[in-house]
Amino acid sequence: MFRLSPRSWLILSVPCVALVVWAVVLALPPMWPVGRGVGVPLPDAALPGGGVAQLSKCRVDDGPRPVAKGAGEQGKDPALAFGGWSAQSPGAKQPGRTTFSVHAALRTLDRPLTLAAPLAKGGVTVDVYGPRGEGRRASARGLTAKVVDEKDRTVPTPHSDAFRINPGDVLYLKVDLPAGALCPGYELMTVGDCSPKLTNDAQNCPVLTLTLTDPAIRAHRAAVTGEPEDRLSDRLVVVSWEPRRSQT
């Protein structure tokens, strides 16, 4: 699996066994199952591993960038970079489970950032938006990020129960999208499909939004900018692709 290097801060795709961002092999499934009318809202539901499936937002096109909770969400210190997404299936006779994972990397510029472990516990949100106004295909809040290395191996929790990011270092993150957060008609292996399935146009493919909330983020921004904490956001937001102003 391709991983985002410390020297690269471009939006990169993450190839995997069964899915490559911007290139897919499965046709787009119907949005709602037979018998359910289009536009009928679904109730939100608790997820088995923690968090909430925001099913009431299925097909709602209100993104991809959420309304800022304060200043600094698009600042460069700290900065969250999108590293792509990957879907993997072990196969019918193989151990393991199907997964859809969002990859990102976190860095700081001028001073260390320390985040308690587990990283942003219950403070992570993942939204998957279909292309061209389709709205959400999946939405989950209250998740927790995993810290991994460049080979996607889980990094043990430090004895200090906190992850320290020094200037120039990179902390790699992975967030698994729970299957229960998928809107009707989608599976983990199809939620990232483009429409049409083979396309060279990014506008035909889904957009992912990842948000990470932690009080240490607000404190770090206050130390960097000198602004009062109550004016600053405690959230990092990264969007996989946003059209340029000339394209909107």
Side-chain angles (χ1 to χ4, degrees), residues 195-219:
S195 179
K197 60 182 181 180
L198 297 178
T199 179
N200 292 321
D201 189 347
Q203 296 184 77
N204 293 330
C205 296
V207 175
L208 271 71
T209 302
L210 176 67
T211 71
L212 187 154
T213 302
D214 192 288
I217 295 170
R218 175 184 285 129

Side-chain angles (χ1 to χ4, degrees), residues 62-67 73-74 129 209 237-239 242:
D62 60 354
R65 182 170 292 278
V67 177
E73 284 191 3
Q74 297 191 54
Y129 292 88
T209 302
V237 180
V238 63
V239 178
E242 292 181 276

Side-chain angles (χ1 to χ4, degrees), residues 82 160 166-167 182 207 241:
F82 185 74
S160 62
N166 292 315
L182 298 170
V207 175
W241 180 81

